[in-house]
Amino acid sequence: MSRIVRVAAAQMGPVSRNDAKPKTVARMVALMREAHSLKADLVVFPELALTAFFTKWYIADEAELEATYFETEMPSEVTRPLFETAAELGIGFHLGYAEIAHEGGRKRRYNTAIVVDRTGRIVHKYRKVHLPGHEDYRPDYPIQDLEKMYFEVGDKGFRAFRHEGGVFGVIICNDRRWPESYRVLGLQGAEMILCGYNTCVHNPMAPEHDHLANFHNHLPMQAGAYQNGTWVVGVAKAGVEDDWAMVGQSAIISPTGEIVAMCATDGDEIAFCRCDLDLTRLSKTAVFDFARHRRPEHYSLITSTAGTVAPPDPEPVPANENRPLTKPEF
Amino acid sequence: MSRIVRVAAAQMGPVSRNDAKPKTVARMVALMREAHSLKADLVVFPELALTAFFTKWYIADEAELEATYFETEMPSEVTRPLFETAAELGIGFHLGYAEIAHEGGRKRRYNTAIVVDRTGRIVHKYRKVHLPGHEDYRPDYPIQDLEKMYFEVGDKGFRAFRHEGGVFGVIICNDRRWPESYRVLGLQGAEMILCGYNTCVHNPMAPEHDHLANFHNHLPMQAGAYQNGTWVVGVAKAGVEDDWAMVGQSAIISPTGEIVAMCATDGDEIAFCRCDLDLTRLSKTAVFDFARHRRPEHYSLITSTAGTVAPPDPEPVPANENRPLTKPEF
């Protein structure tokens, strides 16, 4: 059985804070129709696709924040055209959005992504685990990075799921910088990982690295693909959004870590690839045959601590290996 | 206090199975003197530097195997010039070699690397954890990959250690393909990771990827450096060794993941860099501030299983999000 998934990485140009959501959704429907013209099976939209990347601003008014940028249901009235078009065309999609959920007796806000199948049904939901930036407003920064203020850490973990004849996973933006994100999915046999992102070129916490923003976008996605033998589809909201430049270069990355399709602009654009899920097999059965090669008994720090621990005291080296060979000896 | 370590990545060209060890050690001493002329503090030699990369052959005679390729003490008579020269010049070094140890009541063989300080004293020993390849002789392969036959899995884990005013770690060859190797050291604050390697371009288990051998050499080392905010020094035994081409491109990689020095030949050659350990700080306090951003509660699979587990059953999606949107609805 063929396991080819035709993937459209649907990069989006900037979405201004002044853009009404229906206008943005109309752009997405147009991208979906273009993807369909390429006979795509799956359209991958960016993180927080429906609005401006609002976490770069401090918005003190909670009511304004939630009414402007968050969704309380999915599909909602404004997002319904995406679901309808998917069902009409028989095409699946990935959508990132800011979610308000009433769970566990209180209101929660998450940075969320869903996967919708060809019938318009939500088949997977993921909530971002690695929230970047800081939790406090920093007036001395020209832009903020306030995801830790606006969102809770995702509660669903990295769960792979069966989809389109293969095993899929979803991560979001900053998750892609962390090898653990790919590995937990890889350990469930992930063959394709979808990753929407919004990345300002300027990082107020490390501006010395701004010039490496594109490199730091691709490097960990390519490594994550290679080290887990999986396709990775990274999709940006790109361009200059309300005066701030964002990383583009949306890319489809093969299980070898090679970039096999990439957007050439920073606007609405599709990067397309016919992705054979069977291309994952060689990696998974040779260099990255986990069961044969991994050694979890030596990985315990990865799950036993979040932060850094001090290196151990010097190991006693056996006496016959421990003689100082100072000049006088020779 | 300055924390600059002047590092010489001392790539070695091929070592034939016919080369006597003293000849090879003399080449290494020459590299050490060249490194000293660059005012290097530390010379990094490759994995299994003293001999041909013998794991590509099936050697049935255990006595021949051990007598020809393994060391039973360190320093030994034949390796003593390395230690003497280090002490004479006041330069430290990293050396990979095949080790026979009598421990736990029996003889053990490891793929080992040591770090020697400027007085000629061994200050760290590491034994390779991720042994690649297969444990059985495969006559249909043109070359073997028999590390799993010739060595035991290292028993020391990834232990960072204080050295040259910073925190160091050692990994060996195939370890560099596994993000866990870097992460366990990164979680101990590693600022410089030393990695010797011998990598045949031809992988008999995945020859379809041979053309990517150089890419797959650098990609995970660059990602490991970036994702842990650490220097990585990758040093090859390179060139055509007994008819088999090996990956070169020995590289010094900065904490941003950039290759900042690289060998241009596949012979004996030094790639040099003045490595400022303080360049690790920006990464470790911003994007990769582990304590603030890592979420071990979502990483449990990484340590609970070696091999792949099946993805979970489909998650029940709340009813209000689970309506199929088939055409008849619209």
Side-chain angles (χ1 to χ4, degrees), chain A residues 73-75 80 83-84 87-88 97 99 119-125 129-135 138 148 153-162 167 174 176-180 183-184 186-189 203 205-206 208-209 211-212 215-216 219-220 222-223 226-227 256-258 282-283 285-303 305-312 315 317 320-327 329-330, chain B residues 74-75 80 83-84 87-89 97 99 119-125 129-135 138 148 153-162 167 174 176-180 182-184 186-189 203 205-206 208-209 211-212 215-216 219-220 222-223 226-227 256-258 282-283 285-303 305-312 315 317 320-327 329-330:
Chain A
E73 57 175 354
M74 190 60 65
R80 180 163 289 271
F83 292 76
E84 291 176 355
E88 174 201 333
Y97 66 99
E99 176 191 18
T119 70
R121 191 172 59 100
I122 296 170
V123 293
H124 183 74
K125 178 185 278 190
V129 165
H130 296 100
L131 300 172
H134 42 96
E135 43 280 283
R138 300 187 175 180
K148 286 185 191 291
V153 170
D155 60 344
K156 292 174 174 289
F158 301 100
R159 294 167 304 110
F161 61 105
R162 299 184 191 285
V167 180
N174 184 50
R176 77 192 185 289
R177 306 195 189 279
W178 300 82
E180 292 89 348
R183 186 59 104 220
V184 174
L187 282 165
Q188 297 165 76
N203 178 351
M205 300 182 74
E208 298 86 342
H209 293 171
H211 69 110
L212 299 172
F215 173 56
H216 287 165
L219 176 64
Q222 293 183 269
Y226 167 62
Q227 292 171 323
T256 59
E258 294 170 281
L282 187 58
S283 297
T285 56
V287 173
F288 296 108
D289 182 340
F290 290 166
R292 298 185 64 246
H293 301 308
R294 292 183 77 250
R295 291 292 162 182
E297 68 271 26
H298 293 303
Y299 305 157
S300 57
L301 271 186
I302 293 175
T303 49
T305 178
T308 303
V309 299
E315 171 204 30
V317 175
N320 71 330
E321 296 182 350
N322 202 19
R323 290 168 299 168
L325 294 180
T326 50
K327 281 182 190 171
E329 285 195 33
F330 311 109
Chain B
M74 189 62 63
R80 180 163 289 271
F83 292 76
E84 291 177 355
E88 173 201 334
L89 302 176
Y97 65 99
E99 177 191 18
T119 69
R121 191 172 59 102
I122 295 170
V123 293
H124 184 73
K125 179 184 278 190
V129 165
H130 296 99
L131 300 173
H134 43 96
E135 42 279 285
R138 299 187 176 181
K148 285 185 192 290
V153 170
D155 59 344
K156 292 175 175 287
F158 300 99
R159 294 168 303 111
F161 61 104
R162 299 185 190 285
V167 180
N174 185 50
R176 76 193 185 288
R177 307 195 189 279
W178 300 83
E180 292 88 348
Y182 307 91
R183 185 60 102 219
V184 174
L187 282 165
Q188 297 165 74
N203 178 350
M205 300 183 74
E208 298 87 342
H209 292 172
H211 70 109
L212 299 171
F215 173 57
H216 287 165
L219 176 65
Q222 293 183 270
Y226 168 62
Q227 292 171 324
T256 59
E258 294 170 281
L282 187 58
S283 298
T285 56
V287 173
F288 296 107
D289 182 341
F290 290 165
R292 297 185 64 246
H293 301 309
R294 291 183 77 249
R295 291 291 161 182
E297 68 271 27
H298 293 303
Y299 306 157
S300 56
L301 272 185
I302 293 174
T303 49
T305 179
T308 303
V309 298
E315 173 205 30
V317 175
N320 71 330
E321 296 182 350
N322 203 18
R323 290 167 297 166
L325 293 181
T326 50
K327 282 181 187 171
E329 284 194 32
F330 309 111

Side-chain angles (χ1 to χ4, degrees), chain B residues 38-69:
Chain B
L38 294 164
K39 299 189 171 57
D41 301 305
L42 176 63
V43 187
V44 184
F45 293 114
E47 174 196 35
L48 301 174
L50 302 170
T51 67
F53 186 44
F54 60 93
T55 65
K56 61 181 176 293
W57 302 304
Y58 174 56
I59 301 165
D61 181 338
E62 294 263 323
E64 179 205 342
L65 173 77
E66 296 184 356
T68 310
Y69 297 107

Side-chain angles (χ1 to χ4, degrees), chain B residues 113-170:
Chain B
I114 52 171
V115 176
V116 176
D117 73 10
R118 296 160 185 263
T119 69
R121 191 172 59 102
I122 295 170
V123 293
H124 184 73
K125 179 184 278 190
Y126 168 71
R127 291 164 169 168
K128 187 172 182 176
V129 165
H130 296 99
L131 300 173
H134 43 96
E135 42 279 285
D136 53 319
Y137 172 47
R138 299 187 176 181
D140 52 320
Y141 283 178
I143 52 173
Q144 307 295 306
D145 189 358
L146 284 173
E147 291 196 45
K148 285 185 192 290
M149 172 184 283
Y150 294 146
F151 301 116
E152 289 186 47
V153 170
D155 59 344
K156 292 175 175 287
F158 300 99
R159 294 168 303 111
F161 61 104
R162 299 185 190 285
H163 189 58
E164 291 286 345
V167 180
F168 278 60
V170 174

